Amino acid sequence: MTRLDPSRRSFMALAAATFLPGRAFADSFREIAWPDLIPRGVPYGEIIGPGQMDVMNDTWVPEFDENASKVNTRRDGQPVKLPGYIIPFDIGADGVTSFMLVLYVGACIHTPPPPPNQLVFVTTRTPWPSESMWDPVWVSGRLQARAMTTQIADVGYQIGAERIEIYEWQ
């Protein structure tokens, strides 16, 4: 039996194949914006109808048409980086481990929720500190065009966050 001693070149190639893909993936998140979650050809104005006023609760209730739940399947499975605000779901001593990512402060809490294709449910293995929960954040991970229903709203997308960081205004 002949034993092959790896040369420096083959060792470096093996090391690169082993370690670089994860690093390359981590740096390859494509920055997207909220309109990118709406399928091409569907104007935002056709997602939200006129709605009606709920006089008892003194709030406007949006009227969504079938376009509100249409997701951009071209983004499904892509590594993305999306800015937004946190609406916490699971909070522990170390911070938030699941939350709704929303476009603007207070969405889903003080106002009726945005349409499903403008909501992203995020889970993270590394808790996001609760003292930073109200800051705008960047969430990076693989976007899944997968609908779900939560106690707050219907959601069109999910992300398993690989990285969460404070959004810095430019």
Side-chain angles (χ1 to χ4, degrees):
M1 181 165 149
T2 306
R3 182 167 179 199
L4 297 175
D5 292 323
S7 68
R8 181 174 171 83
R9 181 175 293 180
S10 62
F11 175 76
M12 295 303 285
L14 177 62
T18 303
F19 299 111
L20 288 181
R23 176 79 178 151
F25 178 76
D27 292 335
S28 66
F29 296 108
R30 180 169 184 231
E31 190 176 309
I32 65 169
W34 289 90
D36 293 323
L37 299 178
I38 299 171
R40 278 192 179 159
V42 178
Y44 189 78
E46 290 183 18
I47 292 172
I48 300 178
Q52 58 187 340
M53 188 68 180
D54 178 352
V55 179
M56 293 294 288
N57 295 310
D58 193 31
T59 187
W60 178 74
V61 179
E63 183 179 287
F64 300 132
D65 67 11
E66 67 277 355
N67 288 323
S69 59
K70 289 181 181 175
V71 295
N72 187 348
T73 56
R74 295 177 64 234
R75 298 270 180 236
D76 188 38
Q78 290 185 343
V80 300
K81 180 178 180 181
L82 182 67
Y85 292 88
I86 294 173
I87 304 296
F89 275 76
D90 293 314
I91 304 173
D94 295 329
V96 180
T97 55
S98 69
F99 58 90
M100 186 92 66
L101 187 67
V102 297
L103 173 62
Y104 54 89
V105 175
C108 300
I109 293 179
H110 303 295
T111 61
N117 62 14
Q118 293 293 281
L119 294 171
V120 180
F121 191 80
V122 179
T123 55
T124 179
R125 289 185 181 156
T126 306
W128 181 251
S130 57
E131 66 269 5
S132 300
M133 194 166 47
W134 305 111
D135 296 324
V137 296
W138 283 109
V139 173
S140 300
R142 195 166 292 278
L143 185 69
Q144 301 296 316
R146 189 177 317 141
M148 69 181 288
T149 299
T150 71
Q151 64 266 36
I152 295 177
D154 291 334
V155 180
Y157 295 94
Q158 297 177 40
I159 291 180
E162 293 185 33
R163 183 170 52 212
I164 303 172
E165 55 198 323
I166 295 290
Y167 181 91
E168 298 290 335
W169 298 99
Q170 305 266 330

